[in-house]
Amino acid sequence: MATLYATHCGSHSKGYAYSSFSPINGVQNQRLAFSSSFPWRDVSAKANVVLQSRRNSHQKAVLMQDGAVATTVTPIKNETTLKKSNDASMSIPSLEEYKDFAGLDVNGNEPTVSITVVGASGDLAKKKIFPALFALYYEDCLPKHFTIYGYARSKMTDAELRNMVSRTLTCRIDKRENCDEKMEQFLKRCFYHSGRYDSEENFAQLDKKLREHEGERVSNRLFYLSIPPNIFIDAVRCASSSASSANGWTRVIVEKPFGRDSESSSALTKALKQYLEEDQIFRIDHYLGKELVENLSVLRFSNLIFEPLWSRQYIRNVQFIFSEDFGTEGRGGYFDHYGIIRDIMQNHLLQMLALFAMETPVSLDAEDIRNEKVKVLRSMRPLQLEDVALGQYKNHTKGGVTYPAYTDDKTVPKDSLTPTFAAAALFIDNARWDGVPFLMKAGKALHTKRAEIRVQFRHVPGNLYNRNFGTDLDQATNELVIRVQPDEAIYLKINNKVPGLGMRLDRSNLNLHYAARYSKEIPDAYERLLLDAIEGERRLFIRSDELDAAWALFTPVLKELEEKKIVPEYYPYGGRGPVGAHYLAAKYKVRWGDLTVDQ
Ligand SMILES: NC(=O)C1=CN([C@@H]2O[C@H](COP(=O)(O)OP(=O)(O)OC[C@H]3O[C@@H](n4cnc5c(N)ncnc54)[C@H](OP(=O)(O)O)[C@@H]3O)[C@@H](O)[C@H]2O)C=CC1
Ligand SMILES: O=C1O[C@H](COP(=O)(O)O)[C@@H](O)[C@H](O)[C@H]1O
């Protein structure tokens, strides 16, 4: 068996070539370009090959024989089954079937992808979306034929858009080579169209421009709704009626918030489905694109040492912690309508919880994973008012600088009761997690910026070393910390003996510190998610039943909080948040793990 090296997004990956097939006639060393629906972009084929995507091990295999390119639709789970399916003489579909699979037109031409950033003049587009698209371009991850369009009401020329975008582009620290040149090439493929979000006519003008770029090729279209939620439906209606692809796929990435409770979320889904099929809707939760959140399943399901411990038998509690060291600066108008529970807990923290607590999925296929997430969410008890602690930041002066109160924001009503901090205790009523508190804590304007998952294990039974631990046995329990950001790390707190002749115990960390272990910069979450949407990979996007299950947990308490006008506890800007969070944790015999200094 020979080994074939192929490029995928600029990095070298390994494929497999089987000597049991005869060499490809006439295509020695030919570069074969795959469609955007297949993660391998460019393959130098030297023999008949079966390829397995390294990125998604369940991706379909591609087989090339006698100059024709064929594909098998047999999902490949791992190398072993790959070999087996090869041995068992794989059925080789026709070239027509391959073209269909790869999205090629009758002449075998590759499709184009047009990416329209709706709301291109806005904060998210500038801060995240254009930079992520550039990073994908730099890494050779965008399809060969692509065009990017900015769309918004603001009047701008193509040159002005390029100028605006260029100010936000940077190359990764480890990717500086030809950076300016790459930026220039990228910007040449960015264009702008000014239009209203509720104008079919304006979207039809966009369609005309897109068609000019797409030419005769199959055109796939991705719309990224980077606009406030009240105009989602108008934009989807107009995009779908006037700017959908005529011969390829049309997909829409929808940004959060997906409603503000069960009813409004269902109404949004219903309205979106008037114009789109569920498989065209990509509801984005950017936390699912974060490296360590992606790694959660790998950690759990590929290491024998963790999965057996992953239950009420060994885990005392699990904590999901989000804190920012700045307030709602500039986004107060949006935030006041939602509050921290909707902004962070119902989506980002709950998504991490679902991945953490779900049962083993049947496979890594999107639907199998999302099925498990839905199941665990539906096994959860709706959050109770007595299991919530709320806070709102007030102004604070430190070192001669005065930091504003939440209500100092001009777009926030002076008497706003919107929480900028919340702590919550949730429970999963299934056999695995019965009785284990899943605590969440999220806050703005706190003393630090971080997001992490903390798993506190039970006490060691028996008392062999108890007297060496001192009086606080909780301090001696193992804790697994998954630091999602910043400075990504996974570390396990263990007890060990202090070296020497005595018997003194110490706490140390078994530490996977990403910056020390890997020299490569970690891609931004939006890069992964945009690439997935282009490739039609839905695993990291939220399905509508998942969303329903998530809202069902929070809607009753959100209603009660608003009806009863619960006043949040005030905490100083830059502080550690309200003391109520500690009372809540203490009620379940939990101590917040982030209070200890680990690193
Ligand atoms: N910013 C962030 O960090 C994050 C944002 N999001 C979500 O992403 C989406 C976009 O966010 P963001 O970029 O901050 O939003 P912005 O408020 O910056 O709005 C984006 C663009 O939409 C247009 N717009 C704004 N308000 C209105 C309005 N009332 N009616 C019509 N058009 C309007 C403006 O463009 P023009 O006037 O040119 O038409 C604006 O540039 C939102 O759904 C947000 O919740 C999610 C996570 C983080
Ligand atoms: O969705 C949101 O996320 C950001 C935090 O994202 P991060 O990737 O910087 O951690 C938060 O500031 C914002 O309020 C919220 O809407």
Side-chain angles (χ1 to χ4, degrees), residues 262 341 345-346 350 353 376-388 424-430 438 440 548-560 587-588:
S262 294
I341 296 178
M345 280 190 176
Q346 181 272 348
L350 191 65
L353 184 153
V376 78
L377 291 175
R378 291 185 54 211
S379 304
M380 290 177 72
R381 238 179 273 167
L383 181 60
Q384 305 293 306
L385 188 59
E386 58 272 24
D387 286 335
V388 182
L426 290 139
F427 294 88
I428 304 173
D429 289 333
N430 67 14
F438 282 78
M440 287 183 179
D548 293 346
W551 275 121
L553 296 175
F554 287 93
T555 296
V557 81
L558 285 165
K559 287 220 158 101
E560 209 176 336
K587 183 172 148 190
Y588 294 105

Side-chain angles (χ1 to χ4, degrees), residues 63-81:
L63 177 71
M64 292 167 278
Q65 192 174 38
D66 291 341
V69 187
T71 173
T72 168
V73 290
T74 317
I76 289 179
K77 301 266 183 337
N78 55 42
E79 199 182 331
T80 318
T81 48

Side-chain angles (χ1 to χ4, degrees), residues 161-179:
L161 173 92
R162 287 172 190 161
N163 186 31
M164 179 192 91
V165 170
S166 70
R167 277 183 262 133
T168 67
L169 301 186
T170 50
C171 280
R172 294 201 216 290
I173 294 160
D174 58 340
K175 293 270 164 68
R176 294 255 163 232
E177 215 181 304
N178 304 332
C179 187

Side-chain angles (χ1 to χ4, degrees), residues 4-207:
L4 172 120
Y5 287 90
T7 55
H8 172 229
C9 294
S11 61
H12 279 85
S13 309
K14 211 173 180 187
Y16 303 91
Y18 290 89
S19 53
S20 55
F21 290 105
S22 56
I24 301 173
N25 294 334
V27 289
Q28 302 276 354
N29 297 323
Q30 182 179 323
R31 287 177 82 73
L32 294 165
F34 286 91
S35 84
S36 62
S37 61
F38 194 78
W40 298 84
R41 296 267 165 266
D42 244 343
V43 177
S44 301
K46 292 194 174 132
N48 296 318
V49 288
V50 177
L51 294 177
Q52 181 189 17
S53 155
R54 200 175 56 159
R55 189 153 181 268
N56 299 309
S57 59
H58 59 288
Q59 282 279 1
K60 293 162 186 171
V62 172
L63 177 71
M64 292 167 278
Q65 192 174 38
D66 291 341
V69 187
T71 173
T72 168
V73 290
T74 317
I76 289 179
K77 301 266 183 337
N78 55 42
E79 199 182 331
T80 318
T81 48
L82 176 72
K83 282 179 194 159
K84 270 196 199 136
S85 63
N86 181 49
D87 291 344
S89 71
M90 224 185 264
S91 70
I92 303 171
S94 66
L95 186 57
E96 289 314 307
E97 280 172 302
Y98 167 71
K99 283 180 187 164
D100 187 41
F101 161 76
L104 305 186
D105 67 19
V106 283
N107 301 318
N109 292 325
E110 267 189 277
T112 65
V113 176
S114 302
I115 302 161
T116 303
V117 182
V118 183
S121 54
D123 181 57
L124 185 73
K126 282 187 262 192
K127 218 169 56 187
K128 293 287 183 186
I129 304 171
F130 286 112
L133 287 168
F134 171 64
L136 290 175
Y137 175 73
Y138 190 102
E139 302 266 3
D140 282 336
C141 287
L142 288 183
K144 191 158 129 204
H145 306 284
F146 77 91
T147 306
I148 294 173
Y149 255 88
Y151 184 100
R153 296 171 308 178
S154 302
K155 298 278 176 249
M156 249 191 276
T157 60
D158 291 343
E160 282 164 338
L161 173 92
R162 287 172 190 161
N163 186 31
M164 179 192 91
V165 170
S166 70
R167 277 183 262 133
T168 67
L169 301 186
T170 50
C171 280
R172 294 201 216 290
I173 294 160
D174 58 340
K175 293 270 164 68
R176 294 255 163 232
E177 215 181 304
N178 304 332
C179 187
D180 290 347
E181 196 186 313
K182 283 270 192 178
M183 276 186 196
E184 214 171 293
Q185 287 161 358
F186 173 79
L187 290 169
K188 276 190 192 148
R189 296 170 81 165
C190 295
F191 302 87
Y192 185 75
H193 184 72
S194 165
R196 284 172 34 181
Y197 304 105
D198 60 355
S199 165
E200 292 188 15
E201 193 191 332
N202 292 167
F203 273 90
Q205 291 157 356
L206 170 73
D207 177 68

Side-chain angles (χ1 to χ4, degrees), residues 481-493:
V481 182
I482 298 165
R483 192 164 61 219
V484 175
Q485 66 184 35
D487 199 17
E488 292 80 349
I490 300 173
Y491 54 96
L492 179 64
K493 295 193 199 175

Side-chain angles (χ1 to χ4, degrees), residues 325-342:
D325 54 1
F326 51 90
T328 57
E329 281 96 316
R331 293 185 77 218
Y334 148 81
F335 191 87
D336 201 62
H337 193 50
Y338 290 91
I340 198 80
I341 296 178
R342 294 182 179 94

